[in-house]
Amino acid sequence: MNKSLLETVISGTPKRTSHAQVVDQLGKAIVSGEFPVGSILPGDPDLAMRFRVSRTVLREAMKTLAAKGMIVPRARIGTRVNPRKEWNLFDSDILTWHFACGVDEDFLYHLSEVRLAFETHAAALAARNASDAEIAGMMRLAVAMGDADHTPESLATADLKFHLSVIEASGNPFLRTVGGLIEAALVGVFKLSSPTAEKGGIDEVARNHIRIVEAVGKRDEATARLAMEHVIKVGRARIRQALSGSVAKA
């Protein structure tokens, strides 16, 4: 079974296959602007030499990036980097490359706006549709987030499990497709800042998530929506503060 995005970031484990490594490195090069939008990528011989892979591996990697909307081959011209509006920003790899290459407040704002649209509604649906067993499971996950022994890594994992459990309890199969977006957002939180570094931070995180479950348990859709909104906005503020600190130190 493939490791999740969060597990890969936490462990620092590099991509295993040659194909995955080429996709990862070339994807980052495009996101970072090394290969700008509208530019033509170097030819296959040059890229194969750069990544030390066969042309077969390179072609498969290019197909993967094309499927993500990042590049398009043009006969007699070469492979062009597509405009960003054509990239599949719901793709967890593309989101992760943005965090790896450095994100600004605009990017984080847009990401949190999407989370606010999807996850707040998922919380409301969970209040409507979740089974008693699902609610009990969410509460166990929320309470577990208050463990004083959490490291930034273990808290990030617990956070992800909770948010995915809300999506699952919503009962809407289409919402499951935003799981990668949620995971990438939490990876960004993990890499930039963590409540474990703040006095009382872990307790606050647990309380905020417990409030979501309490509202779900009461079948209070409006309060569940607001409680989830608060959690996402707190995370956004934490990252914004971390970015401001980085700018100040530069």
Side-chain angles (χ1 to χ4, degrees):
M1 180 180 295
N2 293 330
K3 283 188 174 183
S4 73
L5 167 62
L6 186 57
E7 289 174 318
T8 299
V9 171
I10 288 173
S11 67
T13 303
K15 302 290 186 178
R16 290 186 176 181
T17 66
S18 296
H19 169 267
Q21 289 177 14
V22 174
V23 170
D24 187 60
Q25 293 176 44
L26 190 51
K28 287 177 182 175
I30 293 172
V31 170
S32 70
E34 179 182 348
F35 298 126
V37 165
S39 67
I40 302 297
L41 295 180
D44 286 359
D46 292 333
L47 289 176
M49 182 177 297
R50 169 173 172 160
F51 297 117
R52 298 181 180 180
V53 295
S54 68
R55 293 196 188 188
T56 299
V57 170
L58 179 64
R59 281 194 291 269
E60 290 303 312
M62 300 290 261
K63 288 180 182 178
T64 298
L65 291 171
K68 296 177 185 294
M70 300 184 75
I71 58 175
V72 60
R74 298 293 189 191
R76 296 185 297 279
I77 295 177
T79 300
R80 187 185 299 276
V81 178
N82 274 336
R84 289 178 181 265
K85 65 182 180 180
E86 296 184 25
W87 300 1
N88 177 14
L89 291 180
F90 280 86
D91 184 276
S92 60
D93 283 337
I94 294 180
L95 287 167
T96 304
W97 295 332
H98 275 86
F99 279 107
C101 296
V103 293
D104 56 21
E105 283 199 27
D106 284 343
F107 180 86
L108 292 169
Y109 178 81
H110 293 313
L111 180 58
S112 65
E113 287 295 298
V114 174
R115 289 190 67 198
L116 285 168
F118 282 110
E119 289 192 75
T120 56
H121 189 58
L125 287 177
R128 184 188 309 172
N129 300 323
S131 67
D132 291 342
E134 286 175 322
I135 295 171
M138 282 189 284
M139 182 59 79
R140 285 193 296 271
L141 291 171
V143 170
M145 293 178 73
D147 187 342
D149 294 327
H150 267 311
T151 62
E153 294 87 349
S154 65
L155 182 58
T157 301
D159 200 359
L160 174 62
K161 288 180 179 178
F162 177 86
H163 284 272
L164 293 182
S165 75
V166 175
I167 291 290
E168 188 66 29
S170 74
N172 188 318
F174 290 97
L175 284 173
R176 295 182 190 132
T177 63
V178 302
L181 181 146
I182 295 169
E183 187 171 13
L186 295 179
V187 165
V189 174
F190 160 70
K191 292 184 69 176
L192 293 172
S193 176
S194 174
T196 58
E198 305 166 9
K199 184 177 180 180
I202 291 178
D203 287 340
E204 180 187 0
V205 167
R207 286 195 301 272
N208 288 340
H209 287 75
I210 287 171
R211 290 191 188 102
I212 297 173
V213 186
E214 288 175 341
V216 170
K218 294 176 182 177
R219 307 297 178 181
D220 186 339
E221 296 181 28
T223 302
R225 184 187 295 273
L226 289 173
M228 179 63 80
E229 178 180 330
H230 177 71
V231 163
I232 295 171
K233 286 184 175 179
V234 166
R236 177 170 67 182
R238 184 176 293 114
I239 293 181
R240 180 172 291 167
Q241 184 176 12
L243 284 174
S244 299
S246 299
V247 172
K249 293 176 183 178

